[in-house]
Amino acid sequence: MVDVFERAKPRWCPGCGNFIVYEALKKAFYELGLRPEEIVLVCGIGCATFIWSYLNTNALKAIHGRVLPAATGIKLVNPSLKVIGVSGDGDAYSIGCNHLIHTARRNVDLTYIVVDNGVFGNTRGQPSPTTPTHSITKITPRGWPEKPINPILLALASGATFVAQGYVGDLNNLKKIFKDAINHHGFSLINILSVCPTFNPTRTIMQLRREIVYVEEIGAPLEKLEDAVNLVSSIQREGKHPIGVILMRDEPTYNELLGATRKIDNIIDYGKIHEISKRELELILDVKY
Ligand SMILES: Cc1ncc(C[n+]2csc(CCOP(=O)(O)OP(=O)(O)O)c2C)c(N)n1
Ligand code: SF4
């Protein structure tokens, strides 16, 4: 039964999008036939990351912004575990943003769930890297001056082999994305458009529902980076959000690449390299050394 994954009754604010993420993830684990001991949740700091304390799996509570290095370490030492990182948009795209780029380009075989409510919820409503420009927040009564980052394009450009976006207005779609991501061989990023009724009350599920486009109805998931970038850009140009699995392709994982490099004979013939470099310089500078 699905309740094998329940540890405690979740306690977020009424109406918080985290409840939907919790339900979808629990159901995804169950429908994939996983057992609690096969999974490890790696969570940062913030409201969304409290999910570890409500789900019955292994868990590591990392420090703020450091979900991905901790998750990478776990996958390297115990490849049989399903490693799942959970962050908010502040945890993932502010203090932890550099780790997203490097974990994506390494293709570490783990699932990264980012609950993007457009605000730092846990510290009471400061703007985050995904807060839209001009937003009125409690610390910016005249409007937020910064441009938001684009997590989907960032993950694509960083070399992620699975990039998806879900939203808390469609639990079944979110569950399906989780299942596809957990089954994916390599790094997967799932950005989830979520709501924080307490500190970002102008963003609602009804509003998100009017702004979404299901990409699977228009040919996704795609394999080629250029095609995925074009698809996302064309939807975002219209002020809409792509929802579903956008890009999925198979490449060697970090564990496989490390195994492969161990087999390479890496004795370097420095004498030969110096000889070639010297000849190249002589040609360019037209002198003899
Ligand atoms: C090193 C460090 N800096 C700052 C904080 C304070 N802090 C705790 S949670 C958080 C951001 C939470 O926002 P987000 O990641 O978007 O998650 P949410 O609470 O909205 O789910 C911050 C800045 C911290 N705990 N540690
Ligand atoms: S502050 Fe916002 S994100 Fe945090 S539990 Fe409350 S509604 Fe959810």
Side-chain angles (χ1 to χ4, degrees):
M1 291 292 283
V2 71
D3 59 10
V4 71
F5 293 105
E6 290 169 6
R7 187 196 297 272
K9 196 167 177 306
R11 287 177 18 177
W12 288 289
C13 307
C16 178
N18 289 324
F19 287 103
I20 305 291
V21 179
Y22 165 83
E23 283 300 323
L25 192 56
K26 195 175 64 176
K27 289 190 169 131
F29 289 157
Y30 176 67
E31 289 180 20
L32 286 171
L34 294 170
R35 295 191 311 272
E37 63 271 22
E38 291 175 296
I39 305 165
V40 56
L41 288 178
V42 186
C43 295
I45 305 290
C47 297
T49 68
F50 283 112
I51 198 166
W52 76 269
S53 60
Y54 308 134
L55 282 169
N56 179 33
T57 63
N58 299 297
L60 176 86
K61 184 82 168 120
I63 54 173
H64 196 31
R66 302 293 178 255
V67 165
L68 290 175
T72 298
I74 294 171
K75 191 67 194 181
L76 288 181
V77 297
N78 194 342
S80 65
L81 284 171
K82 293 282 184 198
V83 182
I84 298 173
V86 182
S87 287
D89 40 303
D91 200 48
Y93 305 137
S94 189
I95 190 170
C97 195
N98 58 338
H99 297 300
L100 171 62
I101 296 166
H102 299 296
T103 312
R105 75 182 173 84
R106 289 175 185 139
N107 199 28
V108 185
D109 188 9
L110 56 90
T111 305
Y112 193 29
I113 297 171
V114 183
V115 185
D116 177 4
N117 56 17
V119 74
F120 285 8
N122 197 229
T123 43
R124 307 181 79 80
Q126 299 84 357
S128 84
T130 58
T131 302
T133 322
H134 309 309
S135 298
I136 307 293
T137 74
K138 61 189 292 190
I139 63 157
T140 58
R142 297 196 191 121
W144 177 235
E146 296 184 15
K147 253 190 299 195
I149 67 155
N150 186 321
I152 301 295
L153 292 183
L154 179 67
L156 288 171
S158 304
T161 53
F162 183 111
V163 179
Q165 184 157 254
Y167 94 113
V168 294
D170 189 341
L171 191 148
N172 277 333
N173 184 263
L174 196 55
K175 180 184 72 180
K176 183 181 174 303
I177 295 174
F178 285 155
K179 286 165 70 176
D180 289 349
I182 293 168
N183 278 336
H184 176 65
H185 172 250
F187 179 75
S188 49
L189 171 83
I190 307 155
N191 189 66
I192 303 173
L193 299 174
S194 187
V195 292
C196 169
T198 307
F199 292 113
N200 190 9
T202 54
R203 183 195 276 193
T204 64
I205 292 179
M206 291 300 275
Q207 177 216 335
L208 287 175
R209 191 161 282 152
R210 283 193 292 271
E211 294 172 352
I212 61 150
V213 174
Y214 285 110
V215 291
E216 275 148 34
E217 291 171 7
I218 47 174
L222 299 160
E223 250 188 84
K224 283 199 188 139
L225 173 64
E226 304 87 304
D227 294 342
V229 169
N230 285 339
L231 178 80
V232 171
S233 307
S234 66
I235 294 170
Q236 291 181 339
R237 255 196 309 274
E238 303 292 315
K240 307 249 175 193
H241 307 290
I243 297 293
V245 182
I246 294 157
L247 175 125
M248 181 162 51
R249 65 158 178 260
D250 199 31
E251 282 178 17
T253 66
Y254 198 47
N255 283 58
E256 290 165 353
L257 291 167
L258 282 176
T261 52
R262 269 184 223 121
K263 294 185 199 108
I264 294 172
D265 176 6
N266 51 11
I267 297 170
I268 297 170
D269 184 345
Y270 285 103
K272 205 165 196 165
I273 288 172
H274 287 150
E275 179 64 26
I276 294 167
S277 308
K278 191 164 92 71
R279 240 182 293 141
E280 280 180 344
L281 275 189
E282 285 173 351
L283 270 175
I284 294 167
L285 299 173
D286 199 20
V287 288
K288 275 263 171 240
Y289 284 107

